[in-house]
Amino acid sequence: MALSYRDLAREYGTPSYVYDGARLTEAMRRLRTWMHAGVEVFYSLKANPNVSVFGLLRAHGARAEVCSLGELRTALMAGAVPDDIVFLGPGKGDEDLVACLETGVYAIVCEAFDELDRIEYLAGERGLRQRVLLRINPATAAAGARLAMGGKPRQFGIDEAAVLAEKDLAHRYRNVDLAGVQVYAGTRILDWRTVVANTRYTLDLAERVATVTGMRLDAVDIGGGFGVPYFSGEDELDLAALAEEMNPLIDVFLDRHSGTRIILESGRYLTADSGVYLVAVRSVKESLGKRFAVTDGGTHHHLAAVGLGSPLRRNFPISLVGSDDEPSGEWNVTGLLCTPDDTLGKGVALPDLKPGDVLGVHQSGAYGLTASPGLFLSHGFPAEVLVHDGRSYLIRARDEQDDLLRKQLHYDFDRR
């Protein structure tokens, strides 16, 4: 990235999220280079739903996996065509399902039998036949996933045994076109062997389900869950080793099902490395022998920094931007919320700090802003900036106080 983080902090203020477009497109290029040519990459907008972030990825070949009306509108605004959109997630409302039907998304990923019934009814009302993929909760968990999504009692999908007990399920509906499966066994996976094992299981399960239920296999969504290294001791996912074992599995499957779309979901892998959360030091102090740097940001913008989804509290990489000084000791980097949990980094090795210094929390492009309680203490959300081809673009203006109050309704109870 040609522009310096310190200059960007000066131009756009802090706190801000900055995304490096070159890293976004490089992550997409790596997947396209190593994955089987028959695999289509669907970007999981939940990881980072900014329309410009997805717009850049879409321009480099990404399709869209969405889980809400907001994400569906974002994908369409960024230029995604309906045939390259899948809509998934538990607890879809009728408004969600109707939007999918009227937009003509490629597939709704169905999470429950009663959801199938509602799609049948709503599609029938509109004289439509909607393609549906069944999300299946696999009988086994992904052993190498930092966060298992299957193999246990879950709100996600229909249990494998329950699906396999439904003989000729595909023929019970007139307006639901059961045409494939989706399995998402786990996320934050760094061991390529786990990905291969999940893929092998999913492809085999898809064929068993198709045989039992009578559905076609227009598409098989093999999930994804590719991880990125956040902490010391973690290694990057070895895409070369992964491709060597996984691509032949897909070759064999496509030899038997030549028209099937193979969908790979990816959110964290595509965006995490691109993002840095920039905060400015407002105050430095010492308390009972520990040094604290209090910043103008906090975990209301970056809840993942406190270990959300991780069994242990570990620090994201944090640096003093624009400085080559060696660390002088350990610092606790906090935000300005009235809770001791508002700690971006604990015992972080940093140089001597002073008010006005700018710190960067790295690996913050995924599940940073999107998974954080930005209204806590009514601070609102920070700015987002995308750097692409040597230029910076403000892609989300920071919240002002008027933004926070605009939707609130005030009644003068003193006069009643």
Side-chain angles (χ1 to χ4, degrees), residues 64-348:
E65 175 254 292
V66 303
C67 298
S68 69
L69 288 178
E71 289 185 359
L72 176 59
R73 290 188 62 185
T74 299
L76 294 169
M77 183 185 295
V81 297
D83 200 48
D84 287 335
I85 300 174
V86 296
F87 193 114
L88 56 83
K92 302 179 193 71
D94 285 357
E95 187 180 12
D96 300 316
L97 297 175
V98 168
C100 290
L101 292 167
E102 295 182 348
T103 300
V105 299
Y106 176 73
I108 299 173
V109 179
C110 183
E111 309 262 354
F113 286 128
D114 60 2
E115 188 177 290
L116 273 179
D117 296 334
R118 287 196 293 124
I119 297 170
E120 170 76 1
Y121 174 76
L122 294 169
E125 275 192 324
R126 289 158 180 78
L128 300 172
R129 193 160 189 259
Q130 174 64 51
R131 182 186 290 106
V132 170
L133 310 183
L134 280 186
R135 179 168 184 172
I136 300 176
N137 179 22
T140 60
R146 266 57 176 182
L147 182 60
M149 304 288 282
K152 298 179 179 180
R154 295 292 188 194
Q155 69 268 44
F156 307 112
I158 306 169
D159 291 349
E160 177 181 325
V163 174
L164 292 173
E166 296 293 327
K167 311 294 185 184
D168 298 321
L169 179 66
H171 303 303
R172 298 178 193 172
Y173 301 94
R174 297 183 60 183
N175 304 109
V176 168
D177 180 16
L178 271 178
V181 303
Q182 189 252 22
V183 177
Y184 200 101
T187 189
R188 291 195 56 215
I189 301 170
L190 294 174
D191 184 350
W192 62 268
R193 298 169 188 83
T194 298
V195 177
V196 171
N198 289 346
T199 303
R200 180 182 291 110
Y201 192 98
T202 298
L203 296 176
D204 174 70
L205 178 59
E207 291 186 322
R208 287 188 285 131
V209 168
T211 299
V212 169
T213 65
M215 73 167 62
R216 301 188 320 281
L217 290 178
D218 284 1
V220 176
D221 185 334
I222 60 176
F226 291 10
V228 296
Y230 286 109
F231 313 118
S232 60
E234 292 186 335
D235 297 320
E236 290 187 11
L237 180 65
D238 189 339
L239 286 182
L242 171 61
E244 186 174 356
E245 295 290 331
M246 180 168 151
N247 290 349
L249 296 177
I250 294 172
D251 266 330
V252 171
F253 183 85
L254 291 178
D255 281 344
R256 293 196 293 267
H257 308 278
S258 60
T260 302
R261 295 180 80 172
I262 305 295
I263 294 172
L264 172 71
E265 301 172 24
S266 184
R268 187 189 311 274
Y269 183 85
L270 289 174
T271 56
D273 183 55
S274 73
V276 175
Y277 176 52
L278 297 178
V279 294
V281 176
R282 284 189 173 175
S283 175
V284 295
K285 61 181 291 186
E286 185 171 312
S287 175
L288 299 178
K290 302 289 185 180
R291 292 197 290 180
F292 287 80
V294 182
T295 75
D296 59 1
T299 53
H300 58 311
H301 297 160
H302 201 335
L303 191 61
V306 303
L308 181 69
S310 299
L312 300 175
R313 170 70 166 88
R314 292 186 287 179
N315 297 328
F316 278 45
I318 300 177
S319 70
L320 173 60
V321 303
S323 172
D324 295 323
D325 293 347
E326 293 295 321
S328 64
E330 292 186 346
W331 290 83
N332 292 332
V333 179
T334 78
L336 36 70
L337 305 181
C338 298
T339 167
D341 292 332
D342 188 26
T343 300
L344 291 168
K346 192 172 184 179
V348 183

Side-chain angles (χ1 to χ4, degrees), residues 39-68:
V39 169
E40 299 179 55
V41 178
F42 278 63
Y43 173 60
S44 300
L45 268 76
K46 67 179 74 68
N48 187 323
N50 188 284
V51 63
S52 293
V53 169
F54 173 60
L56 182 57
L57 290 169
R58 187 202 61 77
H60 287 77
R63 283 76 159 130
E65 175 254 292
V66 303
C67 298
S68 69

